[in-house]
Amino acid sequence: MLRLIAIRLGLGLLTLLAVSVLVFAGTEILPGDVASAILGQQATPEALANIRLSLGLDRPATVRYLAWLTGVVHGDFGTSLANGRPVIQDLAGRFGNTIFLAAYAAVVAVPLSVGLGIVAAVNEGKFVDRAINILTLTTISVPEFFVGYLLIIVLAVNLGWFPSLAMVDPSMGFWERVSTTTLPALALVLVVMAHIIRMTRSSVLAIMSLPHIEMAFLKGLSRTRVVVRHALPGAAAPIISVIALNLAYLIVGVILVEVVFVYPGVGQMMVDAVSKRDVPVVQACAIVFATAFVGLNTIADVLSILVNPRLRHPR
């Protein structure tokens, strides 16, 4: 088991290394030129050469990559080309905001989705099961930015229950922040819950056909008890995997939601940096997203190994 976990951790690190190469190469081959973007179209060749020299753009790409990767490993993402401040100063606060929004959505989405998935499995083929299936198909078919605009129109504009923009700052109290971020959190909940509900339902129903489940029914146990006590533990591995994938989405897939609600998170920061061609900030946001995604998937793999007896005790 320990060897399997070590292999998963090693693969996670290799994936992050490959992603760092792609992030750096992607930002290096973006159309346009950083120096031209900073100085504008009227810049002279001498001025462009001077600013390229000051930014280190005259060095080979491999040298710049190794220097950038060494800095990232030590927590130094460079200096923003837009405001001249260290990237980590702005990134830390924005990442905290993104984590708060993701945690808010996860606290609501995970128990609600797993519960609805179990309810659908217990009531397979009944009205409740069909209603939950319609709900999941509806939410999974609508893009998150459209869900966000619908929530703004209904809950903010028409009913006035929540603010339409999720502008937060460090001076806000906890409950004020919760109220302000309710609409973007609700948009994320509606987007991710469909995947978790469908995976929970299908995983539990797949276990229901196994012999030990049939034996439980023959003993006279109720369907609810069989599902909760016998089928759900066996279906835990795929459910954990899909929950981890959706938690990763809550962190790395929030760009559109943050833009719709003008939420000051990493996604909004990345969009602003792309428009300003602030390459160090774009690279920092991308590597933070990649680290969160790979890290959560690696944790899901390790948890799947721990809860699966065949992987925990291989012959």
Side-chain angles (χ1 to χ4, degrees):
M1 181 183 70
L2 293 177
R3 180 174 174 274
L4 204 55
I5 292 175
I7 291 175
R8 292 287 192 276
L9 295 176
L11 289 175
L13 291 176
L14 286 177
T15 304
L16 274 180
L17 183 62
V19 169
S20 72
V21 174
L22 292 175
V23 167
F24 191 83
T27 51
E28 285 291 316
I29 62 176
L30 283 174
D33 178 73
V34 175
S36 301
I38 295 174
L39 297 179
Q41 298 296 326
Q42 305 302 322
T44 63
E46 292 78 11
L48 291 174
N50 289 333
I51 196 167
R52 288 193 186 106
L53 184 63
S54 65
L55 296 176
L57 299 178
D58 57 321
R59 295 182 298 170
T62 53
V63 175
R64 296 204 305 275
Y65 168 72
L66 292 176
W68 172 74
L69 184 62
T70 303
V72 168
V73 171
H74 291 85
D76 180 11
F77 293 94
T79 303
S80 170
L81 301 180
N83 55 32
R85 293 196 299 266
V87 175
I88 190 66
Q89 285 187 5
D90 296 329
L91 185 62
R94 295 296 190 100
F95 187 66
N97 290 339
T98 295
I99 290 296
F100 179 86
L101 179 60
Y104 185 6
V107 166
V108 177
V110 172
L112 179 63
S113 304
V114 173
L116 288 176
I118 295 172
V119 170
V122 171
N123 298 280
E124 182 188 11
K126 299 180 180 177
F127 172 77
V128 175
D129 182 29
R130 293 176 182 175
I132 293 175
N133 279 332
I134 292 173
L135 172 67
T136 57
L137 287 174
T138 303
T139 56
I140 206 172
S141 304
V142 181
E144 55 265 42
F145 70 89
F146 187 72
V147 173
Y149 286 125
L150 283 180
L151 293 175
I152 289 175
I153 293 172
V154 176
L155 299 181
V157 177
N158 293 339
L159 300 177
W161 289 353
F162 302 101
S164 58
L165 300 181
M167 299 295 293
V168 297
D169 59 70
S171 63
M172 278 185 168
F174 176 77
W175 293 112
E176 185 182 4
R177 182 179 287 252
V178 168
S179 174
T180 304
T181 56
T182 293
L183 286 188
L186 186 56
L188 291 173
V189 168
L190 292 175
V191 171
V192 303
M193 67 185 299
H195 299 91
I196 303 177
I197 289 173
R198 294 180 70 83
M199 179 56 73
T200 301
R201 179 185 180 277
S202 60
S203 300
V204 170
L205 291 179
I207 299 293
M208 297 291 284
S209 60
L210 296 181
H212 72 283
I213 299 296
E214 295 179 0
M215 179 60 70
F217 279 121
L218 291 175
K219 287 183 177 179
L221 299 180
S222 67
R223 185 176 179 84
T224 301
R225 187 172 181 181
V226 170
V227 168
V228 174
R229 296 198 58 180
H230 298 282
L232 190 58
I239 295 174
I240 290 173
S241 296
V242 76
I243 288 176
L245 282 173
N246 282 278
L247 290 179
Y249 174 80
L250 289 176
I251 297 176
V252 307
V254 298
I255 295 177
L256 289 177
V257 173
E258 289 186 356
V259 171
V260 168
F261 291 95
V262 199
Y263 184 72
V266 179
Q268 180 71 54
M269 183 180 182
M270 189 174 186
V271 171
D272 294 339
V274 169
S275 65
K276 298 174 183 175
R277 295 214 181 277
D278 197 343
V279 174
V281 175
V282 175
Q283 292 172 336
C285 294
I287 206 69
V288 166
F289 281 148
T291 303
F293 192 84
V294 174
L296 286 171
N297 278 281
T298 303
I299 291 173
D301 286 344
V302 172
L303 290 176
S304 297
I305 293 171
L306 294 177
V307 301
N308 191 330
R310 288 178 297 181
L311 297 177
R312 197 168 60 242
H313 304 292
R315 294 180 179 177

